[in-house]
Amino acid sequence: MGKRKEESVSQPGSQKRRRQEFTSEPTDEYNEEENSQLLADSNFSSPSTVGEVGIIESIQLKNFMCHSMLGPFQFGSNLNFVVGNNGSGKSSVLTALIVGLGGKATTTNRGSSLKVFVKDGESSADISITLQNQGRDAFKPEVYGDSIIVNQHINLDGSRSYRLKSKSGTVISSKKEELVAILDHFNIQVDNPVSVLTQEMSKHFLQSKNEGDKYKFFMKATQLEQMKEDYSYIMKTKENTCLQIEQGVERLRELKLHYCEKKERYKSIGFVKEMRNHLEELKHKMAWAVVSEMEREIQPIKESIKVEEERTEKFVQKLEECQVKINEAEEKYKMIQDKLEKISEEAQALHPQCISSKADVQAGRKAFNEAEAFYNRLRTELKRLGRDDEQLRKRIEELKNSANQVSEPEQLERQRKIEQLKEHLKAFHDQEIMISQQMDQFQHAIYKCKEEQATLRKEEHDLKQALDSKLKQLRELKDSKTNTLKRFGPHVPAFLEAVETAYRQGRFKYKPVGPLGAFIHLKDAELTLAVESCLKGLVQAFCCDNHSDERNLQMLMSKYYPPGFRPQIIVNKFQSKVYDVRHRGVHHPEFPSVLTALEIDDAVVANCLIDIRSIERVLLIKSSSKARKVMQSSEPPKNCREAFTAEGDQVFNRRYYSSDYLRPKYLSKDVEAEISHLEKEVENKKAQLVTSQQRLHFIESEIKQNEGHLHSHRRHQKELQIKIRTTSAEISDLENTEEHQSVDIRTLEDEAEENRSRMESVKQEMVQRSRDMENRKNILQEAEKRFEEMKEKIHHVEEIAGPVKDELNQADSEVENNKRRFQHYEEKQKEHLTCIKRHKELLANKEKELE
C-alpha cells in the first residue's frame, strides 16, 4: 500500500498524480477479507536507505461496525497477516483502512452510506491510523515528525471529519486536501485494487469473463486511467492559459498607447511656473480678504451668544416642569400597580374556593340523586303494600260472608293450592322490587351518561374550533413559504400592493411602513417567542408619518381587513436615523435587550418600537430562574423596566406573568419547523377529536342500551304486575269457595294488621326520606348558588383586572414618555450650553486671529 525501503530511482508507479476528490458515503457490516500490504522489491533497496514512509504502524477502531473498541493494532514493517475467528474484526480492519484514508463507502462493497459503519446504539464512530513518516521521502517532517496520525470521526447522519496530527499528538490540519496530499506523496491508493483488493472485488475479477472489465481493471491498477484524466485536464488548462496570454498581450498594447497619451499631456503643461507666481499674488490678496471677512463674522457670533444665553432660562423651566410630571406619573403608576396586585391576590384566593364549590356541587348532586332513588323505591313499596291491604280486606269480608260447605279433601286441596299461589305471589313481589331497584339504577346511569354526553359535545365543539384554527394557521404558514408577508395574514400582500399604488398616486405624503414584524429579524432564534410576547400586536402594526396619512390608511384597511381585526396604526414622525438611546437603554454583561437582540431594516420601525414599547429597556433572559434572580432577588439593572424569558413569560421587579403564547407565529425563521410542529398539533387535535367522538358515540350507545334495558324492565314490571293481579285473583277465587267455618280469618286479619303496620312504617320512612331529599336539594341549590357566585366573582375580578392592566401600561407609557421628554430637554440644554461655549471659543479664536 505504501512505499517500503524504496530507492531514489523513479519508478512508473511512484509518479505523483492528481487524486480525485472522495465523497463521504458510508457502508454496512463486515465480511471476511484479508488485509493486504505491498512489500517493496528488495532488489531496489540499498543498505543506506534507513527511512521508510507510508507504512501503516497501527490502527484503532471505536464504535466501528459491530466493535465498541478494537485495537490499537501494531503492525510490523514488512508483511503482516491478520487472522482470527469469524466476527473477530479482520474485515473491519480492512474496511476501516479504506474508509479512514478517505475511501468511498461504495469502495468497501459494504453499503452506500457511512452511517452504517456506526455501531448500533451509538452516535458516532472513530478511526485512528498511524503512518510512518521517516527518511528523505518523508512528508513535511519538520511539521509532522516521524509519524502521521490520521483520525476520522463519522457521525450518525453520514457526515465525517478529519484531524491530521503529528507524532506528538498536535493537530496539524482538519482539511481533506491535506490528507489527499499525504496519500499522493506516499502513493497510497485505497481505491486501486492492486493496493487494496477486497473480497467482493477479487470475486468479481475472478468470476468475470468480460475482457472489457479486465481491461478496465488493468487501466485502473496501472494508473493509466488516472493519467488519461490528468492529461485531459492539463490540455484544457493549457488552452485556458494560452487564451489568457492572448488577452494579456492585447491589454498590454492598450496600456502602452495610454501611457504615450499621458506623456504628451504632461509635456503640454509648460506654463505651470507662471501659474504658481500668480497664485502667490492671490494668496496675499486673500489674507486681507480673510481679515475683512472675519470682522464681519464676529458681530453675528456675539449677537448669537446673547440670544442663546437668554434661552437658557427657558430650558431650566422646561426641565422643572418635566420633573414634576415624572413624579406625578410615577405616583399614579405605583397606585395602579398596587391596585393590580390586590386584584391578582384576590383572583388567586378565589380559585381554591371555586374548586371547593365545584366539588360541593358534585357531591350534593350525587347525594340528592341517591336520596331521590331511595324515595322512589319506598313509594313503589307503599303502592304494593296498599294493593295487598285492599286484597286482604276484601278477602276477609268474603270469608265472613261465605256460607258454602265443602268436603274435607277438597278443602285441603284448595288450601294447598292457595299456599302455593301465595308463594308464587311473594316471588312475583320480590322480582318487582328487584326490577324497581334496577330501573332506578338504569335511570341514574342514564342521567350520568347524559351529563357526560353534554360535556363531550362541548369538548367536541371546542376541539373542532381549535382544529379549524390550527388548519388555518397551517395554510397561512404554507403560503408564507412562497411569500413571507402572508405570515401576517393572507390579505397582507394585496393590501401592501394597494398601499404602494396609493402612494404612487400621491394619496400619501410618506409611504406607510408595515407590518413592523416584516422589518424585524432575530439574531438568536431561541428568543423569538420572547420578542413576540413583548411586542404582541405591534408585530402587525403599521406606522404613518402624519395623521392625514393615518386616515387614508384606515380607509384603505377597511377594504382588506374584516371588522374588529384591523391592525394598530402608529403616528410617529419619520426619521432617517435610529434614536441614540445609549444613555437610557439597559446594558447587561450577559443578557441582551430587545433592541440589541434585533436586526431592524428600517430606522422608522426601530424608532417606533422605542417610542411605543421602549425596547431598549426590556431585557431578554432565556431561563425563567435567571430572570427571577436578575429582576426580583435584588434591584433590577439600571434602566431596566421588565424582562421576558424564552417561554414568553413577563418578569417585573415584584410581578411575574406567564405567557399566553406557546409558539412564535410571525417572527420564526424556520418555517419548515413551524409547519412540522403545526402538522403534529393538527394530527394531535384530530386524534383528540376522533377519541372524543368515539367516546361520545360510546356514551350515546350506552344511553340507548340503558334506555333499552329500562324499557325492557318496565315491560317486565308490567308483566309481573299482571301476574300478581292474576295470582291474587286466583287466590281470591279459591278462598271464596272455602267454607267459612274452615277458614282461619284471624290469620288473614293478623296478616292485614302486619301489612298495615308495614305501610305505616314505610310512610314514616318516606316522610323522613322526603325531608332528607328536600334538605339535600336545598344543600345542592346552595352549593350551586355558591359556585355560580364564585364563578361570577372570578369573572368580575378578571373583568376588573383587564382595564387595570391597560391603565398600568398606559401609566407606564406616560412615565416613560415624561422621562424621555425630560431627557430630551436635558440633552437640548446640554447641546445649548455646548453651543454657547463653542460660540464663545470661536469668538475668542477669531479675536485672537485679528490681533
Side-chain angles (χ1 to χ4, degrees):
M1 179 177 289
K3 297 182 179 179
R4 299 185 182 273
K5 300 181 181 178
E6 292 181 349
E7 188 139 289
S8 60
V9 179
S10 179
Q11 301 296 329
S14 64
Q15 294 296 323
K16 299 295 183 292
R17 64 187 180 85
R18 184 174 60 84
R19 288 179 62 88
Q20 294 179 350
E21 289 296 325
F22 296 104
T23 58
S24 300
E25 299 291 335
T27 154
D28 195 17
E29 295 200 338
Y30 56 90
N31 257 336
E32 296 305 319
E33 297 177 2
E34 297 272 340
N35 182 14
S36 65
Q37 299 179 333
L38 298 178
L39 296 174
D41 194 340
S42 60
N43 294 329
F44 291 95
S45 302
S46 67
S48 62
T49 304
V50 179
E52 296 177 341
V53 295
I55 297 175
I56 299 172
E57 293 182 346
S58 65
I59 184 170
Q60 182 177 359
L61 313 179
K62 181 181 178 183
N63 297 330
F64 188 78
M65 296 177 72
C66 62
H67 304 284
S68 298
M69 180 62 73
L70 195 61
F73 296 114
Q74 301 294 334
F75 295 109
S77 59
N78 295 309
L79 184 63
N80 290 272
F81 292 89
V82 180
V83 296
N85 296 327
N86 288 341
S88 61
K90 303 186 299 299
S91 57
S92 299
V93 171
L94 182 61
T95 303
L97 282 173
I98 297 173
V99 176
L101 293 178
K104 299 179 183 178
T106 52
T107 305
T108 65
N109 296 315
R110 290 182 174 274
S112 59
S113 175
L114 283 174
K115 61 186 178 184
V116 300
F117 291 127
V118 180
K119 184 182 177 184
D120 291 342
E122 301 294 337
S123 60
S124 63
D126 294 285
I127 303 171
S128 178
I129 301 172
T130 304
L131 301 176
Q132 194 167 342
N133 189 42
Q134 300 176 7
R136 59 176 176 269
D137 289 335
F139 181 81
K140 298 181 182 178
E142 70 282 357
V143 177
Y144 287 96
D146 293 341
S147 298
I148 299 176
I149 301 172
V150 180
N151 285 343
Q152 184 172 157
H153 182 77
I154 303 174
N155 295 316
L156 194 57
D157 59 358
S159 62
R160 61 179 172 183
S161 59
Y162 300 91
R163 286 193 300 173
L164 303 176
K165 300 180 179 179
S166 64
K167 184 178 181 180
S168 62
T170 305
V171 177
I172 305 301
S173 175
S174 60
K175 297 181 179 179
K176 186 172 181 183
E177 291 77 6
E178 182 77 2
L179 176 60
V180 173
I182 292 171
L183 296 177
D184 281 341
H185 187 82
F186 292 162
N187 199 22
I188 297 174
Q189 307 167 31
V190 293
D191 58 344
N192 193 331
V194 173
S195 295
V196 180
L197 184 62
T198 62
Q199 186 175 352
E200 291 298 324
M201 179 60 76
S202 63
K203 288 181 182 178
H204 177 72
F205 178 71
L206 293 174
Q207 294 174 2
S208 175
K209 297 180 181 180
N210 189 346
E211 295 297 331
D213 292 342
K214 292 183 179 180
Y215 180 74
K216 290 178 182 177
F217 184 86
F218 165 76
M219 291 289 287
K220 189 172 185 180
T222 56
Q223 299 186 32
L224 290 175
E225 183 178 355
Q226 180 67 33
M227 291 179 183
K228 182 179 178 181
E229 293 176 359
D230 290 348
Y231 181 76
S232 299
Y233 175 77
I234 291 169
M235 293 305 294
K236 186 175 180 180
T237 305
K238 178 184 175 184
E239 292 177 4
N240 294 335
T241 306
C242 291
L243 182 61
Q244 291 176 1
I245 290 172
E246 291 176 1
Q247 293 174 351
V249 170
E250 290 294 328
R251 178 62 180 161
L252 181 61
R253 190 178 296 111
E254 293 176 2
L255 289 174
K256 284 181 178 180
L257 292 174
H258 188 63
Y259 166 75
C260 294
E261 291 175 1
K262 293 294 183 182
K263 188 175 181 181
E264 291 296 327
R265 185 178 178 186
Y266 177 75
K267 290 179 180 179
S268 65
I269 309 174
F271 55 93
V272 174
K273 189 174 181 180
E274 295 178 3
M275 293 179 67
R276 286 178 180 173
N277 295 332
H278 184 61
L279 178 63
E280 289 297 326
E281 294 176 1
L282 292 175
K283 283 182 179 179
H284 291 299
K285 292 181 181 179
M286 181 179 177
W288 288 106
V290 168
V291 172
S292 177
E293 183 67 23
M294 287 179 65
E295 289 176 348
R296 285 196 299 269
E297 290 177 356
I298 286 174
Q299 188 61 31
I301 293 174
K302 289 181 178 179
E303 294 176 357
S304 176
I305 291 172
K306 185 178 180 181
V307 173
E308 294 293 336
E309 287 177 344
E310 292 175 356
R311 290 179 57 195
T312 305
E313 187 63 28
K314 294 182 181 179
F315 282 107
V316 174
Q317 184 179 357
K318 284 285 186 182
L319 287 173
E320 291 175 353
E321 292 176 359
C322 288
Q323 187 62 48
V324 171
K325 290 182 179 180
I326 288 172
N327 295 336
E328 292 176 354
E330 287 180 343
E331 188 66 26
K332 180 180 177 182
Y333 177 82
K334 189 174 183 303
M335 290 174 58
I336 297 173
Q337 186 179 22
D338 294 339
K339 183 179 178 181
L340 182 61
E341 287 179 356
K342 290 179 181 178
I343 293 172
S344 300
E345 291 173 359
E346 184 179 351
Q348 292 294 329
L350 288 174
H351 277 293
Q353 298 179 22
C354 181
I355 295 171
S356 176
S357 299
K358 185 176 180 181
D360 292 343
V361 169
Q362 292 174 346
R365 185 176 289 115
K366 181 179 179 182
F368 175 73
N369 291 335
E370 291 174 353
E372 186 179 25
F374 195 80
Y375 178 80
N376 290 334
R377 288 197 296 272
L378 289 175
R379 186 170 58 186
T380 304
E381 177 70 9
L382 182 62
K383 289 180 180 179
R384 185 187 66 78
L385 291 173
R387 291 194 297 270
D388 291 347
D389 182 68
E390 181 67 22
Q391 290 174 0
L392 287 171
R393 188 180 59 78
K394 289 180 179 180
R395 180 59 183 157
I396 290 170
E397 291 295 327
E398 289 173 357
L399 287 175
K400 287 181 178 180
N401 298 326
S402 176
N404 296 329
Q405 298 293 329
V406 292
S407 63
E408 186 174 353
E410 291 176 350
Q411 184 179 354
L412 292 174
E413 178 63 24
R414 192 179 298 112
Q415 190 66 30
R416 185 190 64 75
K417 193 170 183 180
I418 288 172
E419 292 297 329
Q420 185 179 6
L421 288 173
K422 284 183 178 181
E423 290 178 359
H424 290 168
L425 183 63
K426 186 176 182 302
F428 292 152
H429 281 306
D430 292 340
Q431 289 183 22
E432 184 186 15
I433 292 171
M434 183 180 68
I435 287 175
S436 297
Q437 293 175 350
Q438 291 177 349
M439 287 171 63
D440 292 338
Q441 292 175 357
F442 284 130
Q443 286 177 342
H444 183 67
I446 291 170
Y447 175 75
K448 286 290 185 183
C449 288
K450 286 186 176 179
E451 278 189 342
E452 188 175 358
Q453 182 187 35
T455 304
L456 287 172
R457 281 179 176 168
K458 185 178 183 303
E459 180 182 341
E460 181 186 21
H461 179 263
D462 294 342
L463 283 171
K464 285 181 178 179
Q465 285 188 334
L467 180 61
D468 292 341
S469 175
K470 296 292 181 186
L471 288 172
K472 182 180 177 183
Q473 290 183 26
L474 184 60
R475 287 194 299 270
E476 291 175 356
L477 269 179
K478 288 182 177 179
D479 290 342
S480 69
K481 290 172 65 177
T482 55
N483 190 340
T484 55
L485 291 173
K486 288 188 176 180
R487 296 197 72 175
F488 302 93
H491 48 275
V492 170
F495 173 68
L496 291 179
E497 289 182 5
V499 170
E500 180 68 30
T501 303
Y503 174 67
R504 287 198 298 266
Q505 294 172 354
R507 293 168 59 186
F508 293 109
K509 183 178 180 182
Y510 295 97
K511 182 183 174 182
V513 177
L516 302 186
F519 298 86
I520 295 172
H521 309 286
L522 272 297
K523 297 179 182 177
D524 187 350
E526 293 182 12
L527 297 173
T528 306
L529 182 57
V531 173
E532 278 202 22
S533 300
C534 174
L535 301 182
K536 294 185 174 66
L538 291 175
V539 177
Q540 296 178 281
F542 284 76
C543 187
C544 291
D545 176 77
N546 53 76
H547 291 285
S548 175
D549 288 351
E550 179 197 15
R551 288 191 293 271
N552 291 330
L553 187 63
Q554 285 179 351
M555 293 174 60
L556 202 58
M557 279 185 176
S558 62
K559 300 177 182 178
Y560 291 89
Y561 287 89
F565 292 92
R566 195 204 75 184
Q568 183 180 358
I569 300 176
I570 301 163
V571 180
N572 196 23
K573 192 69 177 176
F574 286 4
Q575 297 186 28
S576 58
K577 293 184 179 180
V578 180
Y579 297 150
D580 183 4
V581 294
R582 289 174 292 180
H583 60 283
R584 68 172 188 261
V586 59
H587 301 283
H588 196 278
E590 187 177 356
F591 308 112
S593 67
V594 176
L595 180 60
T596 57
L598 297 178
E599 291 180 354
I600 304 176
D601 300 337
D602 196 324
V604 172
V605 176
N607 293 337
C608 183
L609 294 178
I610 290 171
D611 287 336
I612 302 300
R613 193 62 185 87
S614 300
I615 59 174
E616 79 281 5
R617 302 187 60 193
V618 182
L619 278 180
L620 297 177
I621 305 173
K622 293 180 182 180
S623 170
S624 59
S625 59
K626 287 185 179 180
R628 289 180 185 272
K629 183 177 179 181
V630 171
M631 298 296 296
Q632 297 179 349
S633 62
S634 60
E635 284 297 320
K638 184 181 178 182
N639 296 331
C640 181
R641 55 177 287 186
E642 59 186 299
F644 283 86
T645 68
E647 292 80 18
D649 298 342
Q650 189 176 14
V651 188
F652 290 94
N653 185 14
R654 290 181 291 173
R655 293 169 290 145
Y656 189 100
Y657 297 109
S658 297
S659 174
D660 297 330
Y661 302 93
L662 296 177
R663 301 279 302 178
K665 184 178 180 182
Y666 302 105
L667 303 180
S668 176
K669 294 181 179 178
D670 194 352
V671 180
E672 291 295 338
E674 291 299 319
I675 290 174
S676 176
H677 178 76
L678 264 180
E679 287 176 343
K680 290 179 181 177
E681 286 192 356
V682 167
E683 292 301 322
N684 186 28
K685 291 294 181 186
K686 286 181 178 179
Q688 291 179 9
L689 181 60
V690 170
T691 304
S692 178
Q693 289 174 342
Q694 289 175 349
R695 179 62 182 165
L696 182 61
H697 179 69
F698 174 76
I699 291 297
E700 290 174 348
S701 302
E702 194 170 349
I703 290 173
K704 290 180 181 179
Q705 185 178 359
N706 287 333
E707 287 178 345
H709 288 319
L710 183 63
H711 180 70
S712 174
H713 278 64
R714 281 176 179 165
R715 187 171 62 252
H716 192 193
Q717 186 185 38
K718 290 180 180 179
E719 292 174 356
L720 283 174
Q721 289 173 353
I722 292 171
K723 289 180 180 179
I724 289 170
R725 287 196 294 271
T726 304
T727 306
S728 299
E730 290 180 7
I731 293 172
S732 298
D733 292 341
L734 289 172
E735 288 177 343
N736 288 335
T737 60
E738 293 182 357
E739 290 182 343
H740 177 70
Q741 294 81 6
S742 63
V743 176
D744 191 356
I745 297 175
R746 184 174 298 276
T747 302
L748 292 177
E749 289 176 344
D750 291 342
E751 186 179 348
E753 185 64 27
E754 183 182 352
N755 195 57
R756 284 193 294 273
S757 175
R758 174 63 181 157
M759 287 176 63
E760 288 299 324
S761 175
V762 171
K763 285 179 180 179
Q764 291 176 3
E765 191 172 359
M766 281 182 65
V767 171
Q768 184 179 354
R769 290 294 176 179
S770 176
R771 291 173 183 170
D772 182 51
M773 186 170 66
E774 190 65 29
N775 291 335
R776 291 177 185 270
K777 184 176 181 181
N778 293 333
I779 292 171
L780 175 61
Q781 290 175 348
E782 287 295 326
E784 289 177 341
K785 184 178 179 182
R786 287 196 301 272
F787 181 56
E788 290 298 326
E789 289 175 353
M790 196 59 59
K791 288 199 295 185
E792 186 64 28
K793 284 182 180 178
I794 292 174
H795 181 66
H796 180 64
V797 169
E798 290 175 349
E799 286 182 345
I800 293 174
V804 173
K805 284 183 180 179
D806 295 337
E807 288 180 14
L808 183 65
N809 292 330
Q810 186 177 357
D812 191 25
S813 299
E814 186 176 347
V815 170
E816 294 304 319
N817 291 334
N818 286 326
K819 286 184 178 179
R820 197 178 295 114
R821 194 174 295 111
F822 179 82
Q823 292 170 351
H824 171 73
Y825 284 116
E826 196 174 29
E827 291 173 2
K828 286 290 185 183
Q829 185 186 33
K830 290 179 181 177
E831 292 175 0
H832 177 67
L833 294 175
T834 304
C835 182
I836 293 175
K837 184 179 178 181
R838 188 168 58 251
H839 285 172
K840 287 182 177 179
E841 290 175 353
L842 179 63
L843 178 62
N845 291 333
K846 289 186 178 295
E847 288 177 347
K848 189 176 179 180
E849 288 177 6
L850 284 176
E851 292 174 358

